[in-house]
C-alpha cells in the first residue's frame, strides 16, 4: 500500500514544475547570478516611502535577493517583466508576491543591471500566521512562458 501511495503522490504533482533548480537557474536570466541572503517575517512591511499594512491573521515574508551581473554587458530586466513568483513554506500552499511600487521589488523591476553590478532586491509574500510559526523550508517558484522553475532556499 505504501508503494501505491507514493505513486499516487507522484502523479498529483504538476508536471510543469520542478523544485530541483538552483536559485540562479530558477530565475533564468543569462549572465546574472542570484542569491537569497535572508528572509524576514513581519506583521507589516515598511520603508521610508511605502507601507504594506497589517492584515488580520496574516504576516509578510520578505526575501532579500541579490543579483550580480557576471556578463560583459548590461542586462535589461524589462525583457523579463512577464514573470510571476510564488513561495511555499514547509511544502505547503503557495503564496504569490504582493505588489509594491518599490524600485527594489524584483517582481516589478524593469531597470538595467550594468556589467559587474550587484543590486539588492526584495520579494514580498503574505501568509497565514500559522504558516510562518515554524519555518523549516522555503521553496521559491518562478514562472515565465508557461514554465515554472522551483528552488529550495
Amino acid at each position: 500500500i505504501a508503494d501505491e501511495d507514493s505513486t499516487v503522490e507522484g502523479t498529483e504533482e504538476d508536471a510543469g514544475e520542478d523544485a530541483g533548480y538552483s536559485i540562479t537557474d530558477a530565475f533564468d536570466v543569462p549572465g546574472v547570478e542570484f542569491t537569497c541572503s535572508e528572509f524576514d517575517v513581519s506583521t507589516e512591511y515598511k520603508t521610508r516611502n511605502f507601507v504594506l499594512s497589517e492584515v488580520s491573521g496574516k504576516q509578510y515574508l520578505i526575501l532579500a535577493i541579490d543579483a550580480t551581473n557576471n556578463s560583459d554587458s548590461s542586462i535589461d530586466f524589462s525583457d523579463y517583466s512577464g514573470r510571476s513568483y510564488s513561495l511555499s513554506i514547509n511544502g505547503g500552499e503557495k503564496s504569490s508576491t504582493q505588489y509594491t511600487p518599490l524600485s527594489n521589488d524584483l517582481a516589478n523591476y524593469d531597470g538595467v543591471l550594468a556589467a559587474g553590478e550587484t543590486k539588492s532586491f526584495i520579494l514580498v509574500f503574505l501568509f497565514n500566521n500559522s504558516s510562518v510559526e515554524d519555518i523549516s523550508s522555503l521553496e521559491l517558484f518562478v514562472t515565465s512562458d508557461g514554465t515554472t522553475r522551483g528552488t529550495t532556499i
Side-chain angles (χ1 to χ4, degrees):
I1 294 174
D3 288 350
E4 289 174 18
D5 287 343
S6 62
T7 302
V8 170
E9 287 174 12
T11 58
E12 288 177 359
E13 289 182 24
D14 182 355
E17 295 183 0
D18 184 353
Y21 289 85
S22 71
I23 190 168
T24 294
D25 290 341
F27 279 103
D28 193 30
V29 177
V32 178
E33 179 182 353
F34 291 88
T35 56
C36 180
S37 54
E38 63 182 7
F39 69 92
D40 188 31
V41 175
S42 179
T43 55
E44 63 182 6
Y45 179 72
K46 5 181 189 186
T47 66
R48 279 185 291 151
N49 304 317
F50 179 76
V51 175
L52 279 173
S53 299
E54 186 173 340
V55 177
S56 180
K58 297 190 180 269
Q59 292 191 50
Y60 295 100
L61 189 148
I62 302 96
L63 294 180
I65 296 173
D66 291 334
T68 302
N69 182 349
N70 292 322
S71 75
D72 294 332
S73 56
S74 294
I75 295 176
D76 186 350
F77 272 70
S78 65
D79 295 341
Y80 304 96
S81 62
R83 296 174 172 218
S84 64
Y85 303 90
S86 57
L87 189 71
S88 170
I89 297 176
N90 303 337
E93 184 178 341
K94 291 184 201 171
S95 172
S96 296
T97 49
Q98 296 292 299
Y99 173 79
T100 78
L102 300 171
S103 62
N104 69 332
D105 186 339
L106 187 55
N108 305 314
Y109 182 67
D110 62 358
V112 172
L113 190 61
E117 184 180 15
T118 297
K119 283 191 179 179
S120 296
F121 294 99
I122 58 162
L123 287 172
V124 181
F125 303 90
L126 186 64
F127 285 95
N128 289 323
N129 283 338
S130 59
S131 297
V132 296
E133 286 175 359
D134 185 23
I135 298 173
S136 60
S137 69
L138 295 173
E139 277 186 296
L140 176 67
F141 296 91
V142 182
T143 302
S144 61
D145 301 323
T147 301
T148 300
R149 295 168 304 279
T151 184
T152 301
I153 296 176

